[in-house]
Amino acid sequence: MRAFSDVATLASLVQRGEVRAAEVASRQLARIGVLNPVLNALVQVDAEDVLRQAARIDARSDAGEPLPLAGVPISIKDNLWVAGQVSTCGSRLYEGHVAERDSLAVSRLREAGALLIGVSNCSEFACKGITDNLVYGTTRHPWDSALTPGGSSGGAAAAVAAGLGMLALATDAGGSVRRPAAHCGVVGMKPSAGRIADPWGFPVIGRDLNVIGQMGRCVADLASMLEVLAGPHPADRSSLPTLAGARREARALRIGVSLDLALGYAVDADVVKVFNETTARLAFAGLDLRPVTPRWPSGLHDTPLLAAQHVELAEHFGEAWRHAPERFDPVIGAQIEAGVAVTGTSLVRLASMRDRIVQTTAELFDQIDLLLCPTVPVEPWPHDQLGPKEIGGRPAGPRDHACFTPLFNQAGLPALSVPCGLGARGLPLGLQIIGPRFYDDEVLAVGAFVERTLALDMASPCLSVAPDTLEYV
């Protein structure tokens, strides 16, 4: 079967009958069989169902039905529902749970002709920065199996980087899409809050922060996927009609640059080097880059931004934790205990801080159109550690690797991670592009400009394995 480089090309070939979805399905299943036992990126793969889907996609294409994602292989994160498939949210509480219906985003992908090739691993309740759980175990990094791909969507990122699927559907409440994408050398997007409805499924932890996110091998693929997914639903009170911001050419935008978001984050020296080299190349290519110093609210450093997440965990799962703690990841148990101790006053203060973060970013985007910063401050670390032991020469806490992403969930802004180079150990790093709410298209446009300018080869070593089963390069 011929090679194809992007989602639009594959979908067009399948629509015209030049490539059959059945061929794609067979090749993907063979590739999954070779690589997934090492990676543990996909935790549910129903081969018979994948082949049945492919037959239906081919029949729909033959009938002339327009399918913008015809035959495109996509994985679904385990905290979203795939009808008739086991969905566990990475928790023993849901072990063996069979989803009675598709999550809305999954349903929209099916309608567009996507080929759902499997369920990707995630941390328990999607609440850790690495990807492991008591149901399925640990997901390995596709560049080095001793390392973590990050979390909580590490299975999704590893699946895309290893060629198990072209796209991945995941979630992001504090960086769970963008950080694993950066660590694995793929593209990951958190759309604007409210852009994609998510009205049913598992209890959502971080309800006011969580969005449906996407991963892929290039920005154009994510744009194709977002077009299919975007839109409100009356059962989701936070979803909104698509409100596109102005669409301007990348060179016409004022783009702010900040290495540490003016918050003094620890950043490894190689990350600093790659970030500075990247922004220099982008400026040479014609982007209007200018240094900025965001003025964040006082008290931000002392505000426990995860407090609401911990309270939601305690509310949904506290009783089960008290009765059967052995069914929980101890890290999640500690978060539940932390949630029990949170006061109502603390939550009001957190909501007030979030309002001030929104105001800060609104004022920032009065001065600039988009913002660039690193996606991650460090390369990946061993998969049996919650985080790296050190960042930028300083001892690191378990969440210090996650410093650059959560604020933009607090503000509901679109944010995209694009590969920007390799660190000192030869592992991927990401450039984060952030825009005002609903300016997702401009964020994507600059992401595509970055891709063209850098022209990086970020193929993981997995892509050279079993080349006879690789259908896109």
Side-chain angles (χ1 to χ4, degrees):
M1 187 166 67
R2 76 178 72 181
F4 34 85
S5 59
D6 57 64
V7 160
T9 299
L10 172 57
S12 177
L13 291 170
V14 172
Q15 285 271 263
R16 298 198 305 267
E18 296 181 33
V19 169
R20 305 300 286 174
E23 296 176 77
V24 178
S26 295
R27 295 295 184 92
Q28 290 301 133
L29 289 170
R31 185 163 185 80
I32 289 166
V34 171
L35 290 173
N36 198 56
V38 176
L39 295 173
N40 194 32
L42 301 180
V43 293
Q44 294 288 333
V45 179
D46 185 337
E48 291 184 0
D49 179 67
V50 172
L51 294 172
R52 283 194 297 268
Q53 289 180 61
R56 288 194 292 270
I57 293 165
D58 284 332
R60 293 169 68 190
S61 295
D62 292 344
E65 186 178 345
L67 302 173
L69 298 179
V72 175
I74 300 179
S75 66
I76 309 298
K77 187 176 176 181
D78 192 32
N79 64 340
L80 299 168
W81 284 0
V82 180
Q85 300 292 317
V86 172
S87 301
T88 75
C89 209
S91 168
R92 282 185 171 170
L93 298 183
Y94 295 108
E95 200 164 6
H97 164 262
V98 177
E100 61 265 28
R101 67 192 301 190
D102 286 333
S103 289
L104 180 62
V106 175
S107 176
R108 287 174 173 172
L109 292 175
R110 282 196 201 272
E111 291 172 6
L115 180 68
L116 310 184
I117 49 93
V119 173
S120 65
N121 205 17
C122 68
S123 56
E124 188 170 319
F125 305 129
C127 287
K128 279 171 63 176
I130 60 175
T131 298
D132 64 9
N133 58 62
L134 299 181
V135 182
Y136 297 117
T138 300
T139 296
R140 308 298 184 105
H141 196 287
W143 293 59
D144 184 339
S145 62
L147 306 178
T148 180
S152 61
S153 308
V160 172
L164 308 187
M166 291 184 81
L167 293 170
L169 186 73
T171 60
D172 188 315
S176 284
V177 164
R178 289 160 287 159
R179 292 195 311 273
H183 288 314
C184 292
V186 300
V187 183
M189 185 173 192
K190 181 199 90 66
S192 293
R195 186 82 187 266
I196 302 172
D198 184 27
W200 53 74
F202 290 118
V204 177
I205 305 304
R207 165 59 71 180
D208 290 336
L209 309 178
N210 191 68
V211 299
I212 300 291
Q214 308 86 47
M215 294 188 203
R217 301 245 334 257
C218 67
V219 173
D221 287 357
L222 293 198
S224 297
M225 191 178 184
L226 181 58
E227 187 172 349
V228 165
L229 294 171
H233 190 281
D236 183 349
R237 61 180 172 79
S238 65
S239 66
L240 296 166
T242 298
L243 302 171
R247 299 187 182 187
R248 289 172 287 174
E249 199 271 334
R251 290 187 179 89
L253 299 171
R254 304 164 299 165
I255 302 177
V257 176
S258 178
L259 174 65
D260 66 354
L261 296 180
L263 288 167
Y265 293 140
V267 184
D268 275 356
D270 57 339
V271 177
V272 174
K273 179 175 182 291
V274 170
F275 181 75
N276 288 337
E277 290 173 349
T278 297
T279 54
R281 288 185 64 181
L282 296 175
F284 183 79
L287 287 190
D288 177 8
L289 302 186
R290 52 189 74 182
V292 293
T293 305
R295 297 181 178 276
W296 300 103
S298 61
L300 178 60
H301 273 302
D302 300 322
T303 301
L305 296 179
L306 290 177
Q309 170 181 304
H310 297 162
V311 169
E312 289 170 334
L313 283 169
E315 172 62 24
H316 289 299
F317 307 114
E319 184 174 353
W321 161 253
R322 287 189 293 275
H323 284 91
E326 71 279 0
R327 301 180 72 188
F328 288 79
D329 180 333
V331 173
I332 303 304
Q335 292 187 39
I336 291 172
E337 291 291 351
V340 171
V342 174
T343 66
T345 302
S346 297
L347 289 179
V348 171
R349 288 173 180 164
L350 176 57
S352 175
M353 176 58 72
R354 187 181 180 200
D355 288 343
R356 286 186 283 157
I357 291 170
V358 170
Q359 183 64 33
T360 295
T361 55
E363 292 171 356
L364 177 65
F365 287 118
D366 282 339
Q367 307 166 36
I368 57 174
D369 299 305
L370 299 178
L371 173 67
L372 303 183
C373 70
T375 310
V376 291
V378 63
E379 289 176 277
W381 55 93
H383 62 71
D384 58 354
Q385 298 176 194
L386 277 178
K389 294 180 179 179
E390 184 179 280
I391 302 176
R394 306 183 212 167
R399 292 290 296 176
D400 287 352
H401 65 91
C403 56
F404 285 111
T405 51
L407 286 171
F408 306 116
N409 293 79
Q410 296 285 334
L413 307 180
L416 176 74
S417 180
V418 180
C420 63
L422 303 177
R425 292 182 286 127
L427 296 166
L429 297 172
L431 177 72
Q432 188 174 205
I433 306 165
I434 307 102
R437 194 172 180 193
F438 302 123
Y439 280 70
D440 304 51
D441 291 340
E442 289 194 343
V443 168
L444 287 164
V446 171
F449 183 95
V450 172
E451 277 185 337
R452 292 192 301 271
T453 300
L454 300 183
L456 298 172
D457 177 6
M458 298 299 287
S460 78
C462 288
L463 289 179
S464 64
V465 174
D468 58 317
T469 67
L470 177 61
E471 73 289 330
Y472 55 89
V473 295

